[in-house]
Structure formats: C-alpha cells, structure tokens
Amino acid sequence: MSTNSISSTPSPSSGPSTDTLAGKWAATKQQTQRVWALSKPYFSSEHKWQARGLLAAIVALNLALVYMSVLFNDWNKLFYDSLQDKNAAVFWEQLGRFTYLAFAFIVIAVYKFYLTQLLEMRWRAWMTSHYLQRWLKDQAFYRFELARYTPGNGQGQVPDNPDQRIQEDIGSFTGSTLSLSMGLLNSVVTLGSFVGILWALSGGFTFHVQGSEYVIPGFMVWMALLYSVVGSVLTHYIGRPQIALNFQQQKVEADFRHRLLRVREYSESIALDRGETVEKAQLELRFGRVLANYLALIRAQKRLIWFNSFFGQAATVFPFLVAAPRFFSGAIQLGELMQISSAFGQVQGALSWFVDSYSSLATWRATTDRLTSFEAAFQAVAPVADAVTAPADVAVRADDLNVCLPTGAVLLAHTQLQAKAGDTVLLSGPSGSGKSTLFKSLAGIWPFASGTVERGADAMFLPQRPYFPDGPLRDALAYPQAASTHTDAQLSQALVEAMLPHLADQLDRNDAWSQKLSGGEQQRLAFARVLLKKPKWVFADEATSALDEASEATLYQRLTALVAQRQGGLVSIAHRPGVAAFHQRRWVLEPQAEGGEARFRLVEKPA
C-alpha cells in the first residue's frame, strides 16, 4: 500500500488571464482542449462507429437545413416580386413551390431533432457508465470523501457532490456540446452560403471625399460584419460574470440537496435529538446561498437580455434602413429588398452566433469546468493496491506498516503483526488510538498507509454501522452477492441464527432497511451475512456495540464456532469485557511518549 493524496483541481477562474487578446485566445484554446478530452473517449470507444455514424447524419441534416434556407431566400425574391407586379400566375406557382419546400424542411428538422436526441442519449449513457465505473473502482468514492478532510484540500480542490456531476453535469455536457457545436456549424455554413448572395445583392456604397468618389463593394456584408462584431464584444463583457455564477449555482444547489438527503438518512437520530430547529437553520442557510447566487445570476442575465433585446430588434429593421434608398430610387424591386433583408438576417445571425448563445455558453463552460475537475481528481488519486493473498494458514500479516491520519499525523510506525489460523485476537486501546483506522489499513482501503499487508482472501469485515441497500430483504442479506446464489432455506436459516426469526419469512419484503431496522437489528443482520457466507476469517469492528450482553455472547459463540469449523480466525475491536472471553490473544494500542515517531504502538498482552 502507498500513501495517496489528492491534488488541487481546476476552478472556474483557473487558467490563463483573459484580460488580453493573447489571454482570450489561450483561454479559448484551453476550453477546446477540455471539451475534446471529455468528448474523445466516447467517439473512440467500442461504440465509435455507431456514434460517428449518427454524428455524420446529424451534420448532413444540418447542412440540408442550410441549403433549404438558401432555397427559401431565392423563393422570397420571386414571391414578393409577383406581389409587386400583381402577377397571379407566378404568385400561385410560388405558393405551390412553398408547399413542398416547407414539407421538406419539416421532415429534415424532425429527423435532425430525433437523431440529435438519440446521439445525446447514447453519449450520456456511455459517459455515465464510464464515470460510475471509475468512481466505484478501487474505492475512489471513499477516497474522495477522505480527501475532503485533508489539510490543503479546500473548497474547489476536491470534487464536491460527485453524484451531481454524474447525474446532472454529464447530461448537461452532452446536450450542450451537441447543441452548441451544431449551432456553430450551422452558423459557419450559413455564413459561407449567404455571404456571396448578400455581396451580389447589396451592390456598392458610393461616397465622396474632397471631390474624389469612393465605392465600397458588398456594403451590406461589411455592415453585417460590423454590426455582429460590436454585438459580440459587448455581449462578452456584459455576460462574462455568468460563467462563474453558473458554476457556483450548480454547487450550492447540490449542497442544499445533499443536506436534505442527510436529514432523510438520519431522520430517526435527528428526531430523537430534537434537532429540527438546527436542521431547519442549516437548510435555510444553504437555501439562502442558492437564492443569493440565483439572484445574482438573474441580474447578470437581465443585463444581457436588455442588450440582446435591443440588438435583436435593431437587426430586424437595420437591413431595410440601409437598403431603403436603393428601393425608393427604383434600383431594386420589393422582392430583391426582401431577399436582401433575408440574406442580411442569415449573415448577421451567423456572425451573431456568439451573441445569441452566450447564456448557453456560460452554462456549458461551468459544466465543462466541473467535469474537468472531476476528471483531474480521478487522475490525481492513485488507486490503492489490493491486499496480497496470504497462504492458507495466515489470516493477516503486516510488515513495516505505517498508518497515518489524513492530516499527516502518524498513528503507527514500523508495526509488525501476525495472526494465524485458529487465532482469535482482540484489538483494544483508548478512543482515538486508530483501531478502526488499522482495520481499514488491513482491509486495503486506507490510502494514508504504507508498508506490506498480506491477508487471506476468504475474509469478511463487520463494521459498527453496516450498509444495507433499499429493496428486498434477501438482497440486503446477501449483499454484495446476488441473492440468487443462496437458497431461501439458507437465507432464512441465517436470519434465525442471527436472532432475527421474525424476518425469516419476509425475504421478498421491500423496505429501506437502514431506516426500518433498529441499530441492534442492523448489527444482527450483518452477523446473518457472515453466518450465510461462512468466511474463514472475520474482522469485527465494534460489531455488537448496539446489542445487549446476552445477544452479544450468543452471536460471538456462533461466530467463533464458525471460524473454528472453517479453520480460520477472528480479529475483533470491542470495549466490553465480556467480548474478551471469546479471544485467545490481545493486541493493545498504547500511547507513546511525546516526541516519538508515532502517537501509538502495538503491543501484545495476555488475553
């Protein structure tokens, strides 16, 4: 095992400064690299051809929609000219043409939507499965929680609310990435398709300076470019605060939801302590942060909407304002004026993609930053090595074992210990001496330990507070194995032996067992698991602390009989004197003199 730590992860404000043009380019490049790093795995995965095929179809449909816009622009000229010329034949002909153009447009738009949603769903499913696997592998979920209490890992440096990142951020990322990328593609292709049309239609703008005549060709194109550039720059400076505010909003919303789940999880304990007032204050505090940040976000969005509304409304009349002199002079007809207006709208809309998408870009940027920090945390935490399977006659052996706290304080240094088949060992020591931490080190899940640990593979650990999944009782009893690996008779017998006969006929009952059962019943259900699976070695950490002495004695008798029959052994942590009678050996954690290398040392004393 090796000592591991979590390094800092990016925050929404990290990265190069954006105060200069070079800084803006560097920030854009960094964002592109982050998106590519998050997107590439799916399009290179085992589903790559299916994913790439769907993406190619969506791109083709987007291009088809742009082509339909070109056809509609051409239709505008013919239709409005027929109105100006009062040409009924052409009018009805163009109405008929509009019918099949509109039908084709609708079909393309529907299938573009369907295939985009299908790709988004499959992409999200793959990413969710991928991150769930990584989060659960090598107890990463456990090590992330430990890192929260490690000095140097403050807010924003360890992945907060991983449940939200997997459940919400992945869905937001896949949907926004597809939507924004296809929107950008449409804008680029639309610009390429309509800029030539607008250039040809707009003609030149003639003006005189000091008696010399000057002509600006494609005047409407330059006006659309100027209009969009000014709008994009102003939008960026007005809307920039939304990036950090969106990032923070996702965090405070998740914190509030997490506190609500904690109240639900510990409802009984809170009720017994009459903690409703405290919990209400804490929930209101967190919800207050949600509202405060949301209010700031609303104000930032209001400023941007003010500008975008003026910008969009002005864009409607701007091409008529510029082209009106040519129309009134007779240089162009109504159809050509409408065609100029349509082409200008397409070019200006393409150039203004950044303006129109800024709020979505801000949310997407925040989501990308959160997933990037999540990814960085996975890479920063080295996996804990699995325990080496020991020979059959050895339960556990540790050589030169060093056990530390997340703070870096050393609990044990250069510790040697060994328990052989047939041994029953009681581990004791003062509170805070690291008994449970030593057990976690022997189990191979404590990341702040180093040295060599060998442990028999056929072992089970009984924690003081066992975990039971919601659902049928048979699943809670067999966890983490499938209940189908045991017969109903075996499951019921284990419950009877664990002094839970009233549950023996309720194997198919669905319930939240961690809430339904008392503390003592939960510990007896954990013993039922051991009696069902019959391991050679059992490590029990205060596993009977919620039981009366008579029940404790009965269960320990059955436990010692089981490990003796299996030619294994037992290592227990317990404070009650009655438990000592079931153990032949005793390990004691004793305080060391101040200034020593470690706070405690492990010694063996008579049982």
Side-chain angles (χ1 to χ4, degrees):
M1 300 187 301
S2 59
T3 302
N4 304 297
S5 62
I6 296 181
S7 62
S8 62
T9 54
S11 69
S13 60
S14 64
S17 170
T18 59
D19 293 337
T20 64
L21 184 60
K24 290 182 175 65
W25 170 251
T28 302
K29 182 179 179 182
Q30 184 184 69
Q31 176 69 6
T32 303
Q33 291 171 342
R34 289 176 178 176
V35 174
W36 174 244
L38 291 170
S39 304
K40 181 182 177 182
Y42 173 60
F43 291 94
S44 302
S45 69
E46 65 277 13
H47 303 296
K48 61 183 178 182
W49 295 118
Q50 184 183 67
R52 295 174 185 178
L54 274 175
L55 183 61
I58 294 167
V59 169
L61 290 172
N62 275 275
L63 296 179
L65 284 179
V66 174
Y67 178 67
M68 293 302 301
S69 298
V70 173
L71 295 180
F72 275 118
N73 181 265
D74 177 64
W75 176 86
N76 272 334
K77 179 181 185 305
L78 298 175
F79 180 76
Y80 284 103
D81 278 347
S82 71
L83 287 175
Q84 183 178 21
D85 298 338
K86 297 181 174 57
N87 189 332
V90 176
F91 172 81
W92 292 111
E93 177 187 349
Q94 291 305 312
L95 274 184
R97 183 185 175 209
F98 176 82
T99 302
Y100 68 76
L101 285 177
F103 179 77
F105 182 89
I106 292 170
V107 171
I108 294 170
V110 168
Y111 276 97
K112 173 205 164 190
F113 166 80
Y114 173 72
L115 294 182
T116 300
Q117 295 301 307
L118 191 62
L119 177 58
E120 179 186 338
M121 182 190 72
R122 292 178 177 177
W123 189 5
R124 179 185 179 183
W126 185 90
M127 284 191 71
T128 300
S129 176
H130 176 69
Y131 276 99
L132 280 175
Q133 180 186 17
R134 296 180 66 191
W135 185 51
L136 296 172
K137 184 179 179 182
D138 297 317
Q139 294 87 40
F141 59 94
Y142 171 66
R143 288 179 281 122
F144 282 171
E145 292 305 311
L146 286 176
R148 291 184 173 283
Y149 308 103
T150 305
N153 287 327
Q155 290 288 342
Q157 293 181 309
V158 287
D160 61 273
N161 304 297
D163 54 310
Q164 182 201 28
R165 303 192 185 207
I166 294 173
Q167 183 268 330
E168 184 177 323
D169 288 347
I170 288 176
S172 177
F173 172 78
T174 54
S176 296
T177 300
L178 281 175
S179 174
L180 291 170
S181 59
M182 290 301 104
L184 180 59
L185 172 67
N186 270 4
S187 295
V188 171
V189 176
T190 298
L191 180 63
S193 301
F194 280 93
V195 71
I197 296 174
L198 184 60
W199 185 282
L201 291 172
S202 61
F205 176 74
T206 304
F207 62 98
H208 297 82
V209 176
Q210 296 181 350
S212 299
E213 183 178 275
Y214 298 92
V215 178
I216 301 177
F219 179 67
M220 294 293 291
V221 174
W222 297 112
M223 293 303 294
L225 178 62
L226 177 63
Y227 190 86
S228 301
V229 168
V230 171
S232 297
V233 172
L234 292 177
T235 296
H236 175 63
Y237 282 103
I238 294 171
R240 184 165 54 176
Q242 289 188 41
I243 297 174
L245 288 171
N246 272 293
F247 185 99
Q248 184 66 12
Q249 188 66 29
Q250 291 176 345
K251 182 181 184 304
V252 294
E253 292 276 12
D255 287 342
F256 177 56
R257 183 172 62 247
H258 178 70
R259 187 73 184 198
L260 289 170
L261 292 174
R262 294 281 288 178
V263 172
R264 179 182 172 187
E265 183 180 0
Y266 290 94
S267 57
E268 181 179 337
S269 298
I270 294 171
L272 289 172
D273 289 333
R274 301 292 192 270
E276 297 90 342
T277 302
V278 175
E279 292 306 316
K280 184 174 183 293
Q282 288 296 319
L283 288 170
E284 288 180 341
L285 174 64
R286 283 161 174 76
F287 189 60
R289 293 170 182 165
V290 170
L291 293 181
N293 192 81
Y294 190 58
L295 181 59
L297 183 59
I298 289 174
R299 288 170 175 165
Q301 290 174 336
K302 182 185 73 171
R303 291 191 293 269
L304 186 59
I305 290 173
W306 269 111
F307 174 75
N308 282 348
S309 298
F310 279 113
F311 185 81
Q313 292 300 317
T316 303
V317 299
F318 187 79
F320 291 104
L321 182 65
V322 176
R326 295 182 64 207
F327 173 71
F328 289 123
S329 69
I332 57 175
Q333 290 188 302
L334 178 61
E336 195 168 358
L337 176 64
M338 299 305 297
Q339 192 178 18
I340 290 174
S341 174
S342 174
F344 180 89
Q346 293 286 355
V347 172
Q348 182 270 328
L351 290 170
S352 299
W353 173 83
F354 181 76
V355 175
D356 299 333
S357 305
Y358 197 88
S359 292
S360 298
L361 284 167
T363 303
W364 176 65
R365 167 70 182 273
T367 300
T368 303
D369 286 342
R370 288 176 61 81
L371 286 177
T372 299
S373 65
F374 198 30
E375 179 69 28
F378 280 120
Q379 296 174 359
V381 182
V384 179
D386 292 334
V388 179
T389 303
D393 63 338
V394 176
V396 62
R397 176 192 297 134
D399 293 320
D400 196 28
L401 177 63
N402 302 285
V403 180
C404 302
L405 294 175
T407 60
V410 181
L411 288 176
L412 294 170
H414 310 296
T415 301
Q416 312 289 326
L417 59 84
Q418 179 174 303
K420 295 183 179 180
D423 286 344
T424 52
V425 184
L426 177 66
L427 175 62
S428 60
S431 178
S433 58
K435 300 183 294 296
S436 296
T437 304
L438 176 58
F439 258 38
K440 294 169 188 175
S441 301
L442 298 179
I445 67 170
W446 188 248
F448 308 102
S450 62
T452 301
V453 172
E454 297 179 344
R455 174 175 50 79
D458 189 7
M460 286 184 65
F461 285 78
L462 277 175
Q464 183 175 3
R465 187 183 173 209
Y467 166 75
F468 303 104
D470 296 348
L473 177 59
R474 63 173 69 247
D475 291 344
L477 175 56
Y479 183 85
Q481 296 176 349
S484 58
T485 59
H486 305 280
T487 66
D488 285 6
Q490 290 172 329
L491 295 169
S492 297
Q493 180 61 30
L495 290 169
V496 171
E497 291 180 358
M499 306 175 68
L500 293 170
H502 58 288
L503 296 178
D505 61 349
Q506 300 186 41
L507 294 175
D508 293 317
R509 177 180 168 186
N510 282 274
D511 218 323
W513 299 105
S514 295
Q515 303 291 323
K516 187 70 174 180
L517 301 178
S518 67
E521 286 176 319
Q522 291 182 46
Q523 290 189 338
R524 278 181 276 166
L525 185 55
F527 268 86
R529 279 181 184 166
V530 175
L531 297 172
L532 173 68
K533 299 174 185 179
K534 296 179 171 54
K536 285 187 176 181
W537 287 88
V538 178
F539 296 79
D541 182 1
E542 297 283 1
T544 56
S545 60
L547 298 177
D548 60 89
E549 293 184 2
S551 299
E552 179 180 68
T554 300
L555 290 177
Y556 258 101
Q557 286 172 357
R558 293 172 182 173
L559 193 58
T560 53
L562 170 65
V563 295
Q565 180 187 2
R566 295 280 290 145
Q567 297 181 346
L570 170 67
V571 181
S572 299
I573 297 175
H575 289 99
R576 291 179 178 173
V579 177
F582 299 96
H583 298 81
Q584 304 163 343
R585 298 174 58 189
R586 186 180 173 207
W587 292 340
V588 181
L589 292 175
E590 293 184 339
Q592 293 225 71
E594 189 173 346
E597 184 178 357
R599 294 182 179 180
F600 298 90
R601 63 187 182 122
L602 180 72
V603 297
E604 183 159 355
K605 292 188 176 182

